[in-house]
Amino acid sequence: MDNGITILIAEDDPNDVMLLELAIRKNGIKSPVRVVRDGQEAVGYLDGKGIYADRQKFPLPSVIITDVKMPRRNGLEVVEWVRKHPKCCIIPIVMLSGSRIEHDVVTAYKLGANTYFTKPSTLDQLTELIGLAHQYWSRCEHPPSHRTNAH
């Protein structure tokens, strides 16, 4: 998750945001991280609407990390919106949630999430998980950058 990519985190818990950002940095990932506090903000960011219209300041992300349980629009609704949006539909989505509810996991995958992780209980475990995800995603083939086609 390096080399000019942007990571979008959709998470309503400020403590989880802080831990995620710390785990990202502890893995040496230098990519810019943008944070939105709920699913509605995530959609606004991805759609480039309102305060997110400046794509220099708010570029389309190369990966989305989203919680499931969020106010206004939950993570599952975000996944559904992303997969239907012509410019966002190819962005990888990582679900990171405290929920192990089978229905949430199955629904996330049915809607098009690329992976679903349960939030680890310690910073060390989260750092390890982010490191493994980073190793995986950095070795994958990625579609050509779509930032130049932004609104």
Side-chain angles (χ1 to χ4, degrees), residues 2 20-30 123-124 126-135:
D2 291 311
L20 258 174
E21 289 180 314
L22 186 55
I24 288 167
R25 299 305 170 220
K26 285 182 95 166
N27 276 288
I29 302 166
K30 304 211 184 314
L123 176 59
D124 285 344
L126 181 61
T127 300
E128 179 184 13
L129 181 66
I130 294 296
L132 291 170
H134 175 254
Q135 287 176 26

Side-chain angles (χ1 to χ4, degrees), residues 105-122:
V105 176
V106 170
T107 302
Y109 282 115
K110 280 184 176 180
L111 292 172
N114 296 88
T115 194
Y116 191 110
F117 293 118
T118 301
K119 289 178 184 174
S121 57
T122 69

Side-chain angles (χ1 to χ4, degrees), residues 4-135:
I5 69 136
T6 298
I7 300 167
L8 179 64
I9 297 173
E11 171 61 66
D12 62 316
D13 184 329
N15 292 322
D16 285 348
V17 170
M18 180 191 66
L19 291 172
L20 258 174
E21 289 180 314
L22 186 55
I24 288 167
R25 299 305 170 220
K26 285 182 95 166
N27 276 288
I29 302 166
K30 304 211 184 314
S31 301
V33 175
R34 301 288 183 262
V35 177
V36 292
R37 302 297 177 179
D38 62 44
Q40 192 62 39
E41 278 188 49
V43 167
Y45 182 107
L46 293 163
D47 208 20
K49 300 286 186 189
I51 63 170
Y52 301 112
D54 181 353
R55 282 295 181 209
Q56 292 291 83
K57 190 174 178 182
F58 302 103
L60 277 174
S62 300
V63 65
I64 300 166
I65 302 173
T66 184
D67 189 10
V68 173
K69 309 291 185 201
M70 293 185 294
R72 298 201 299 161
R73 189 180 284 213
N74 68 40
L76 299 172
E77 293 168 322
V78 171
V79 173
E80 185 173 30
W81 183 92
V82 168
R83 292 300 177 238
K84 291 178 180 176
H85 191 278
K87 290 186 180 172
C88 299
C89 63
I90 61 172
I91 300 171
I93 302 173
V94 176
M95 304 297 293
L96 185 62
S97 179
S99 171
R100 283 193 163 143
I101 299 169
E102 184 177 329
H103 177 266
D104 288 346
V105 176
V106 170
T107 302
Y109 282 115
K110 280 184 176 180
L111 292 172
N114 296 88
T115 194
Y116 191 110
F117 293 118
T118 301
K119 289 178 184 174
S121 57
T122 69
L123 176 59
D124 285 344
Q125 291 171 340
L126 181 61
T127 300
E128 179 184 13
L129 181 66
I130 294 296
L132 291 170
H134 175 254
Q135 287 176 26

